[in-house]
Amino acid sequence: MDSAEPKAIPPITENVCEDVPNGVSDEPPQPLYSILSEKEKIFTVCTCSMVTFLAPVAANMYFPALGPLARHMHVSSSKISLTITSFKIVQGVAPLLTASFSDQSGRRPVLLASVLIFIGSNIGLALQSSYAALLVLRCFQALGSSSISLISNASVADVVPRAERGRYMFYSSLGMTIGPAVGPTLGGILTQYLGWRSIFWFLSISSGVMLCVIMLFLRETCRAIVGNGSVSPQPWNRCALQFLPLKKQHAPDYETRVVTRRRPGILATLRILLDIHISLLVLCGALCFCGTSAILSSLPVLLERKYGLNPLQIGLCYLPYTAGGILTRWNVGTVVDRNFKRHARKIGEEVRPNQQSQRQLRRIPLEKVRLELALPFLYLSCLCVIGYGWIMYYDVHLAGPLVLLFLFGNATTGVNNSITTLAIDLNAYRPAATMAAMNTVKHLTAAGAVAAAVPLIDAIGIGWVGIFLAGLWFLVSPALWILYWNGQRWRQKETSQQD
């Protein structure tokens, strides 16, 4: 399945447990997947997630300022909405330039360069006063933030084995979950009291703080560079913390480093989309992301029209969506890990803490493990978006749409986390490239959805838009069912051909 499979692991035949009593694996213990302790793993993933927080904040903090910006620059709302569309287009395309490089040459160099571009673009946005400059600098802002968003999910694949990724995906997605809600809230507060320029000064300062955190504390995790963390990276690629003397030293285990057979490049990244597993996941994931982007980007317009809310109040209305997303730590992440162990027990595969092998990838039905939760949450998302649309259409009390936004946030985040986890499971040694390929499709299609959302709502009403989105999601759900029933068989066939 994974064309970048490490050369250190030899091919394993299918009948691995044939002569094992009681169906329990007698496979010798594998090297530690990561030398980091549980606390160090959580700290590393959360630090990456904090930096990732900048990407959705930059995109969503902007929403409450759309009206003031349009009035200040004497342009229409449609023209201002183009700055959102252009942002998403660049956000989708830019990671293709850096994803393969980060999988082979390290996470930190890409992250540091991206944050520096992000800081510079925000300073420019805070100082500019023309629509043309706003449009161009928003593209540079997207260029910096796009690569940032890949690193968090890639870091999970670097330090956490498959059997434990469910709960860690919560930590890695924390920035992407909180950002869409905290962004509009902060944007509303700053726009209301300090003006729209303060949004970009805030982003400049916060990204400067993140730059210091990366240089001081964030270690390199790319397995092509450091293996399971026991191999030291180049001196220039170390954080300040790694120059301090450590009480416990680990012998370098060079066998855990990933050796890839492909050169980094845009075509190599896009070629991932040709795999049937990823194609089906992208089809469903991209359409779900489109619908979510359309709902969240149109929310300020609807709340201002129907309830007369100011930018601060509009920003606060995004909090229920975030709260629902945070809840997935318990009703998705934990259950996914338990489901992995349940399927492993059914086939007699032992799951050892902080270890994994190629045999797990071949024998455990990863598609069923992840999609058994993704599919119910996808259908729940359909019900939530229908309810939200008609409640908003009939001008029900504000509490109504907010409750639906909470449920909608929980359901859509559950779908996204499950699909992302499965995609990384299937491409464990190219996580950043896999996420870049998927995000390219997601953000490019979402750019069109955001541009069409408000005109479509004006044409047919938010109620029918909800039905349209739910119908679209329901129609693509068979793609996940096809993967659910056939995914493991396809992987085994590909493995047999490679062997």
Side-chain angles (χ1 to χ4, degrees), residues 16-26 344-350 359 363:
V16 286
C17 288
E18 189 174 31
D19 300 322
V20 181
N22 302 321
V24 178
S25 169
D26 64 348
R345 285 195 301 268
K346 286 173 65 175
I347 61 171
E349 183 74 28
E350 182 181 3
R359 183 161 69 186
R363 298 194 69 238

Side-chain angles (χ1 to χ4, degrees), residues 113-307:
S114 299
V115 173
L116 286 172
I117 293 172
F118 188 76
I119 293 172
S121 62
N122 279 296
I123 292 174
L125 283 164
L127 298 174
Q128 57 80 35
S129 295
S130 70
Y131 176 74
L134 175 67
L135 193 62
V136 171
L137 288 170
R138 278 283 286 177
C139 291
F140 277 98
Q141 188 187 43
L143 177 65
S145 67
S146 58
S147 297
I148 291 173
S149 61
L150 300 176
I151 301 302
S152 185
N153 287 328
S155 68
V156 174
D158 290 336
V159 302
V160 183
R162 295 184 193 92
E164 303 169 17
R165 276 182 198 155
R167 67 179 184 273
Y168 280 93
M169 287 307 293
F170 161 76
Y171 297 113
S172 69
S173 64
L174 200 58
M176 297 299 291
T177 302
I178 295 178
V182 174
T185 304
L186 287 174
I189 293 172
L190 293 172
T191 303
Q192 183 79 8
Y193 297 107
L194 298 175
W196 59 266
R197 294 182 190 275
S198 60
I199 290 177
F200 302 113
W201 286 121
F202 173 85
L203 289 172
S204 301
I205 294 169
S206 57
S207 52
V209 173
M210 294 299 180
L211 182 66
C212 295
V213 170
I214 295 168
M215 297 181 70
L216 292 174
F217 304 113
L218 185 63
R219 66 181 71 209
E220 180 60 69
T221 62
C222 178
R223 297 186 73 85
I225 303 296
V226 300
N228 63 358
S230 59
V231 181
S232 296
Q234 308 94 322
W236 58 265
N237 198 16
R238 298 176 190 173
C239 65
L241 197 64
Q242 290 178 291
F243 287 98
L244 299 177
L246 299 176
K247 294 181 181 179
K248 187 177 180 180
Q249 296 285 345
H250 292 269
D253 188 352
Y254 294 98
E255 292 297 312
T256 61
R257 289 199 299 188
V258 174
V259 180
T260 58
R261 299 193 294 268
R262 296 187 180 217
R263 293 182 179 179
I266 295 176
L267 292 179
T269 301
L270 286 175
R271 203 172 289 119
I272 295 174
L273 296 173
L274 299 179
D275 180 83
I276 189 169
H277 301 77
I278 301 300
S279 298
L280 294 174
L281 290 175
V282 166
L283 175 64
C284 190
L287 289 175
C288 288
F289 187 71
C290 280
T292 303
S293 299
I295 293 296
L296 294 180
S297 64
S298 62
L299 188 60
V301 176
L302 293 174
L303 292 176
E304 187 174 357
R305 286 180 186 175
K306 293 179 176 293
Y307 300 98

Side-chain angles (χ1 to χ4, degrees), residues 325-397:
I326 291 174
L327 183 62
T328 57
R329 163 63 177 87
W330 293 274
N331 70 340
V332 177
T334 304
V335 178
V336 164
D337 288 343
R338 290 177 181 173
N339 204 31
F340 188 100
K341 294 174 183 177
R342 180 176 68 85
H343 278 279
R345 285 195 301 268
K346 286 173 65 175
I347 61 171
E349 183 74 28
E350 182 181 3
V351 178
R352 295 167 176 155
N354 200 24
Q355 293 182 13
Q356 75 174 23
S357 66
Q358 284 297 100
R359 183 161 69 186
Q360 283 185 358
L361 177 62
R362 299 186 185 189
R363 298 194 69 238
I364 294 178
L366 297 171
E367 295 81 3
K368 293 184 178 180
V369 171
R370 307 307 186 194
L371 297 181
E372 280 174 354
L373 281 176
L375 283 161
F377 276 99
L378 178 60
Y379 295 129
L380 177 60
S381 300
C382 295
L383 296 176
C384 289
V385 75
I386 291 173
Y388 166 83
W390 287 108
I391 283 179
M392 188 70 81
Y393 179 81
Y394 285 111
D395 298 339
V396 176
H397 188 275

Side-chain angles (χ1 to χ4, degrees), residues 324-325 328 331-333 336 370 373-375 377-378 381 408-421:
T328 57
N331 70 340
V332 177
V336 164
R370 307 307 186 194
L373 281 176
L375 283 161
F377 276 99
L378 178 60
S381 300
F408 182 71
N410 183 252
T412 54
T413 304
V415 174
N416 181 67
N417 283 1
S418 300
I419 289 177
T420 300
T421 305

